[in-house]
Amino acid sequence: MHPLLTFCISALEWFALLTFPFVFIGYRYRQYVKKIIVLSVIMSIISLLLHYTNLHLTIVIALQMILIFLIAKPLFKMSSLETLLLTGMGYGFYTFVHIIGIELFLLMLSNSYSEIVLTTHAYLLQLTSFFIVIMLSVIISLGNYHLIELYRHLKLNEINKKGKIIIYLNSFLTYFFICLASFVMIAENLRYRYAFILLSIVVLFMIISIYLILHHQFQKKRLVEAKKFYFDQEEQVSVYIENIQKELLSSYKVMQKLYENNSFELSKEYFEQHLLPKSKRHKNFAIDPKIRSKDEILYAFLINKRKLANLLGVSISTSIDLKYHIPVTLQHIQFLSNIVDDLLFSLYESTHYDEKHIHLKIHSSQDQIVYNITSNLIFENNKKQGKIYDAITGFKKSKAVIESTFNPVKLSISCEKLL
């Protein structure tokens, strides 16, 4: 076999092996593709050098698994947990596809494993495995069948100790599967060959199932948190309605006392200062129903802010483009909510504005989502302990790029998309 051809096909195999987990879990593939190519070339060279030694195949595979982990971790700048999950899943799934291909070739050609490996059939087998894995990756990408919630928890380091233990155990189960599959591949006259193949399939099914279960648990957790956020927002509206009603009742009682004491001039003065509307009533923005189908949490957030704006007599408008949208993280919505709330209440409490206005613009591109918030409010320095500054700090901690001025308020918050 020609060494250059062997190297090229080996590089393609490593490329497919690494592509599958990145796509399946939901990483932004374009961001990593160059590094995946570099790692594929490195691992292909290492594999060729190892195969030229007299080491047993199982030892070669063990060394490959160790080396790909040690190289991938600094190259992709990931945590040990992420690296272990990606390399284990990629190697395990590719091995599974390869062993199924070998069995099909053995049935069709009636050759032994060693005969297939030592002939040009080996190239055909490798290329078949490569195309199957790449096609599955394309289908997953086009159909958006990603484990997004698992990815988000990995990137944001929100997995608890129990979840991390499960992922570590599942990764070691993956390595057990690889060893089992390798044993089946090299065994010439294995008595219970198909029983071992069936066991390999069961083990792989367990591995994938565990990741799917984790993904669905994280989805459920996000849904619970989203519902709690929505109810908290609704409770907030109710509290402010109650406070306004108390304020009006208190003012009414004061006027009643003044009137009973025949203090007409004082009554008139009090009325002008306290009971005249502080701002005009506005018919605020209509919400496009399509937003709900794309992002329910964002939809709930917009409904709540419209209610608050109507209640507090503030004009609020929106400009929303969700062409390249994936659901906003709950943390980002909470930060946005704090910013808009602070502006709404500051405008409500201010008496020297003829117009009280907030404009919220949300633009989603392929790589990032940008929140632009503008208002005619001049935010004073003595209010720097407000929610708005805490929210900006929170956005900065999540690596958002922020441009801000407060005279008047103008915020631009650019967040990189997770997917």
Side-chain angles (χ1 to χ4, degrees), residues 92 95-96 99-100 173 176-185 193-207:
T95 303
F96 171 74
I99 195 173
I100 295 299
L173 182 62
F176 168 73
F177 161 76
I178 293 167
C179 294
L180 182 64
S182 304
F183 172 72
V184 173
M185 280 193 291
R193 185 180 188 86
Y194 290 105
F196 276 98
I197 292 171
L198 180 61
L199 180 59
S200 299
I201 293 171
V202 170
V203 172
L204 183 70
F205 177 77
M206 288 173 59
I207 293 165

Side-chain angles (χ1 to χ4, degrees), residues 58 102 150 220:
T58 52
I102 287 172
L150 177 59
K220 187 177 178 181

Side-chain angles (χ1 to χ4, degrees), residues 219-242:
Q219 268 189 331
K220 187 177 178 181
K221 178 186 173 185
R222 183 173 185 269
L223 183 61
V224 170
E225 289 175 346
K227 285 182 177 179
K228 183 180 181 300
F229 169 75
Y230 177 76
F231 287 125
D232 286 346
Q233 295 288 287
E234 290 302 299
E235 185 180 355
Q236 181 190 56
V237 174
S238 300
V239 168
Y240 275 95
I241 290 174
E242 186 179 340

Side-chain angles (χ1 to χ4, degrees), residues 166-383:
I166 290 172
I167 291 175
Y168 279 123
L169 290 176
N170 206 39
S171 297
F172 289 122
L173 182 62
T174 305
Y175 290 134
F176 168 73
F177 161 76
I178 293 167
C179 294
L180 182 64
S182 304
F183 172 72
V184 173
M185 280 193 291
I186 62 174
E188 291 288 351
N189 298 307
L190 188 61
R191 185 174 180 183
Y192 301 106
R193 185 180 188 86
Y194 290 105
F196 276 98
I197 292 171
L198 180 61
L199 180 59
S200 299
I201 293 171
V202 170
V203 172
L204 183 70
F205 177 77
M206 288 173 59
I207 293 165
I208 299 297
S209 296
I210 289 169
Y211 288 128
L212 287 172
I213 290 167
L214 277 175
H215 169 69
H216 287 302
Q217 282 183 339
F218 293 146
Q219 268 189 331
K220 187 177 178 181
K221 178 186 173 185
R222 183 173 185 269
L223 183 61
V224 170
E225 289 175 346
K227 285 182 177 179
K228 183 180 181 300
F229 169 75
Y230 177 76
F231 287 125
D232 286 346
Q233 295 288 287
E234 290 302 299
E235 185 180 355
Q236 181 190 56
V237 174
S238 300
V239 168
Y240 275 95
I241 290 174
E242 186 179 340
N243 289 340
I244 289 171
Q245 287 174 338
K246 286 179 180 178
E247 183 183 340
L248 288 171
L249 182 60
S250 175
S251 298
Y252 173 77
K253 287 179 177 179
V254 171
M255 280 197 62
Q256 188 179 30
K257 289 290 184 183
L258 289 171
Y259 181 77
E260 289 172 355
N261 292 323
N262 295 320
S263 302
F264 297 112
E265 290 301 322
L266 288 174
S267 298
K268 183 181 177 182
E269 184 181 341
Y270 184 87
F271 178 81
E272 289 174 348
Q273 289 181 358
H274 295 83
L275 292 183
L276 286 177
K278 295 182 179 180
S279 56
K280 299 176 183 178
R281 300 293 294 175
H282 299 277
K283 185 179 179 182
N284 284 307
F285 65 93
I287 302 174
D288 187 349
K290 292 180 182 178
I291 295 175
R292 186 169 192 174
S293 61
K294 291 189 175 183
D295 194 335
E296 285 208 28
I297 299 179
L298 178 61
Y299 182 77
F301 162 77
L302 292 172
I303 287 176
N304 175 262
K305 298 314 152 196
R306 184 178 65 180
K307 286 179 182 178
L308 269 179
N310 287 334
L311 178 65
L312 302 176
V314 178
S315 170
I316 185 167
S317 58
T318 59
S319 175
I320 298 176
D321 178 11
L322 301 181
K323 186 178 179 181
Y324 299 99
H325 190 66
I326 60 169
V328 179
T329 64
L330 183 60
Q331 189 181 49
H332 283 183
I333 289 290
Q334 288 170 333
F335 292 153
L336 281 178
S337 180
N338 288 338
I339 291 171
V340 176
D341 284 352
D342 227 4
L343 295 178
L344 283 169
F345 299 136
S346 295
L347 284 168
Y348 171 71
E349 291 169 356
S350 301
T351 57
H352 56 279
Y353 290 100
D354 292 330
E355 292 291 334
K356 301 180 179 183
H357 183 72
I358 297 172
H359 181 71
L360 174 63
K361 181 181 179 182
I362 300 176
H363 172 72
S364 179
S365 65
Q366 289 183 335
D367 299 322
Q368 62 182 7
I369 183 164
V370 181
Y371 310 109
N372 289 309
I373 304 168
T374 56
S375 174
N376 63 327
L377 175 71
I378 296 175
F379 214 71
E380 299 172 6
N381 291 332
N382 58 6
K383 293 185 177 179

